[in-house]
Amino acid sequence: MEFQSPIISGSDLSVTDRLNLPSRRMKLSLEKSSNMMGAVSLASPNRHTMSLMSDDLSHTIFEGDPTFTRIGLAGQRKTLDETRVDLTVNNLSRKKHKEELMSILLEEEVPGVENALELFESFLQTFQSYGAEHQVFNQCAEYESKCGEQVTALHKLIQMAPQGHSKLAQAQELEQELRFERDTWRLVASLYQDRLNSEFQDSEMESEEIWSGLDDATSEDDLVRQLYDKNAIIRQAQLVVDWLEQRAADVYHDSHYSQAEFYGDAVTGWENTLHSLISKKRGISTDNAEQNLVTQMDPDAPNRDQSRRLHPLDKEDEMRLLRSVFARLRCGQLDEAQQLCFRAGQPFRAAILEGWKLFHDPNMKSRTDVANTKESPSGNPYRDIWKTMSWKECENVQLSVEERSILALLCGHLKALLPACPSWEDQLWAHLRAMIDHCVEKELRRCVNYKRQLQVLPDEYWNQQLTVESIFSTLAASRDKTLVAQGRDQYRIIQRYLIMDDVDGLLEEMSSWLSKGDSWSVHLRPHMLRLMAHLALFFRRIGRGSSEDLIGSILEAYVLQLVNLGRTDLAAVYVAQLPLPEDQIRLYAQCLVMVEEQQELCEDTERQRLLYLAHQVGLDVNAIAKQVVITLCNQGGNIQHINDASLQVATSAEDERRIRSLSWLLMDPSMRSQLLIQANTLMRGYLLRRQIEAVKLTFKLIPPDTLKILSELWESRTGLTDLPTEVAAATREYLSIQAYIDALDAFQEWFTRFHHSKPKKTEASVQQQRGGASAQLSFTENLLKEQHLKQHQVEMLRWQAAVDSLTETAIDKLYNVLLFPDGGWMADSVQFEDENTPRQQQQQLLRQSCIPHAALLLCNVLTSTQRHSQCLELANVVASEQQSLYKVCSAEQLGQLTKHLRQAYVKLLDLGESP
C-alpha cells in the first residue's frame, strides 16, 4: 500500500518523468555546478509517499505547472503555413471568447453571478443522481467538481476584465466563496471516507502492537506505514495536511509564482559573484557593489565569514529561490522544489531536502527468492544526525527567515516555521506538520531497533505536545488580529469542526447563524446556505447527525432561500427530506404562499406544476393546498362586523388575492370539499363586513358542479349517499349563502326596474312644441299626442309585466332566506360537539343581521307594489314559532319591521279590505 510522508506530502510521482529533461543538459549543469561549488552530484530524488487515500480521492494537483513549460519539451515541427492557420484560428477563437466575456461584464450587475446560481440546479441533480448510501462520496466528489468549474470560469472572467473594473469586486468575492466551498467538499470526502472505513479499528493501538507486525524492526519506513494504518489520529492529520497543501497548490497555480524564474542551459549558482571573483583574479576592475565579496564558492562561504557577502544580484536571486522553494514545499511539491534547486545551480539545497527521508533497506526482510538479488536502500540512515543539525540551523539567526523556515519544515521546528506562515491555513498546516513529526519521531525511537546510539533531540522538540484541539485553541488565542479574524470566517469554522469530527457542534453552529440575520452579502449568502444544507444531508446519510431539529432548521432556511431566488422548482426535493409530514406540509405551503405573494398574478398552470412537483417526491398535496389557502385567506382573528346590512363595502386588491388563492383547491376534484369549506369561511367574513361584491366573486370561483362531484366521490368511495357531517354542514352553508346572494340580486333587479325604469309621459314636450307653433299645426300635434299616449300605455304595460315578474321572483328569493328548511338560514341541521366555534359565532351574527335585512327588503317590495295583505302574511311568518325569526331580530329591527307592517294594515283599512 502506498503511504504519504509525515513531513512532505502531495508531490506528483510523474513530474520528473513528465519533464523528460535531456540527460546531456542536466549532466552538464550538474557537473559545472559541482566543479564550481564543491557539491556532490545528486540524482533527482525519488518519491517517498505515505498516502492512505483511496485512488478515487488522491488527485494530482500539479498538472500543467507553468514553471516547467520552457524546459525540455520538444514539440513537433509544423510548416509555416500550418502554424499561421493555427495561430489565426486560435486568435479568432480567443477574440470571440473575450468579446463574450466582456459582454457579460457590461450586461450583468455582478459578473458571473447568474452562471454561479446554476450550482443550485447542479447540486440538486447530483443529490438525486447519487441517492444510494454507497454513493455518498461520489456525491461529494461531484459537488467539488461543480464548484471547481464555476471557480475556473470566474477566474478566467476576472483575468479577462480590465484592471480596476467597477464590477469585479463582488465577482472576486464570489470566486473566493466558491473556492472555499470546493475545498470544503474536498476535505469532507477525504476525512469521512477514512473515518467510515476505519470505524471498526482501534485508533489508539499500543506501539508494541504496531511493532509486532513488522518484518524488519530496523525499517523506519515499515514502522511508519504500520503507524499510519493503525493510528487514525495521525492518519487523518496527514489527510488534512495533504488537503492544505493541495489548496496551496491551487492558489500557487492560479496566482503568483506562475513565471519560470529559474531555467537555462547551463546554470551556475551565484554567477554574479563568480564573475566578480574571476574578473578580480584577472585584474579587471570592479564597481563598488562588488566589494567585500566572499572569496570562496562553497555553500558555507556566505555564513562562514560575516564580513563577506554575496553579490547583491545573487543575494536577490537567492531570496527569490528560497521563497520559491518554500512555496513548493508548502504545496507539498518536494520533487519540484529539488528540481528548482538543480536549475538554479544549487544542488546542495536539493541534497538538504533529502535528509528527512525515512530509511528502509529491503534486503533486511526475510527473502524467498533463490537468486538473493540485492536492492538499493532508500532514505537517510543518519536521519537523526541530519535532524539535530537542521534544528540547530533553525536557531541560527544569521540565516534568513526563508532558509530557516525550509529547514524548520523538515525537522519539525514549529517556532522557526511560523514566521513564514501568515494565513490561518498556513498556521494550521505548520502546527499539524509539527504534531505529525513529533508523533512519528516518538514512535520511531520507541520501536525501531537501531544498531547505534541516536542523537538526542532538544527538550524543546519533545515539549511540543500538540493535539488537534490544542492547535485550534492556539490559533483562536493568537495575538495576530488578522489571523483571529480569518479563523472566524464561516467556511473556516465549518472546516474546523470537520477536522475535529464534531458533527453535532457543527450543526449547532450553523443553526445559530440562521438567527443572526443577514450577515452576508445578498449574492453570497445563498451559496453558504447551499453548503450548509448539503452538509446536513451528508451527515444524516452517513449516520453522524443526531439532531434532526437542527438539520430541519438548516434545510428550511435553504428552501426559503431557493424560493427567494425564484427557484421554487428545486424546493420540493429538499422539503421531502424533512422527517415529519407536518413539517413538510408547513414548509412547502409556506413556499407556495411566498410564490403567490411574489407574483402579481399566479397562473393556474404554475400552481398545478408546483403541486405536481410535490406529488412526485411524495408530499401530501391536498394538505399542502389546504394550508396554502388557509394562510392566504386568513382575515385576522377578529373580523369587523358591520351591523347596518344596507351598506356595501368595496373589494380591495388584497381581497381579490385571497379569492384567487382558492384556485389551489381547484387542481384536483378530491379537494372540492376543502374548497367549499375554505370558500365558506371567506364568504362569511365578507358578509360580516358587507363586502357583497367580494362574496359574489368568491361564489363565482366555485364550479357549479361542486355539490354533484362531492356526492359522487363520497358514494364511489363509501357507497353511502349521506355526506359526512362536516361536508354536509359546508354544503348547507354554501346553499344558504347562495340563497342570500340570489335574494339580494333579485331585490336589486326589482328595485332598479321599479324605481328607475318606469316610462315617463311626454305631454310636457308636446305642450312646449304646441306653444311655439302656428294654429294650422294643431291637428298634427293632436295626432302626435295620441300616438305618444298609446306608446306610453304600451310601455307601461310592458313595464308593469316586468315589474310583476320581478316582484314575484324577489318575493320568492327573499322567502327562500326567511323560510330556509331544516332549522333555518345559516343554521346547522346537526349538532356539533363544540357549539361555540368561531364558525358558529359568525353564523349567529349573520343570522342576526341578514334575516332581519331580508324581511325588511321583502316588506319594501310588498308595500311598494301595493300587496298589503301579503305584508300581514310576512308578519305571521316572522312571529311564527316554527321559524322563530323574531328571536334573531333586535328590538330596533323589530320596531322598523312593525312600523312598515302597521302602514300596510292602515292601507288595507283605507281600501276597505279585510286584513
Side-chain angles (χ1 to χ4, degrees), residues 559-571:
V559 167
L560 296 180
Q561 187 65 54
L562 288 175
V563 179
N564 286 328
L565 292 173
R567 284 168 164 75
T568 313
D569 297 357
L570 314 180

Side-chain angles (χ1 to χ4, degrees), residues 729-742:
T731 302
R732 181 178 174 81
E733 184 178 347
Y734 170 78
L735 294 175
S736 297
I737 296 174
Q738 183 181 25
Y740 185 70
I741 295 299
D742 290 344

Side-chain angles (χ1 to χ4, degrees), residues 652-681:
S652 65
E654 181 66 19
D655 293 325
E656 293 178 354
R657 185 188 62 79
R658 289 194 184 102
I659 295 169
R660 289 196 303 269
S661 68
L662 292 173
S663 300
W664 288 100
L665 298 172
L666 290 171
M667 302 295 107
D668 190 344
S670 63
M671 294 189 287
R672 289 295 177 89
S673 60
Q674 282 300 323
L675 171 65
L676 203 59
I677 293 172
Q678 299 304 325
N680 288 342
T681 303

Side-chain angles (χ1 to χ4, degrees), residues 76-87:
Q76 295 181 354
R77 293 190 176 182
K78 294 185 178 181
T79 64
L80 183 59
D81 291 338
E82 290 175 342
T83 304
R84 287 175 177 173
V85 170
D86 290 344
L87 291 175

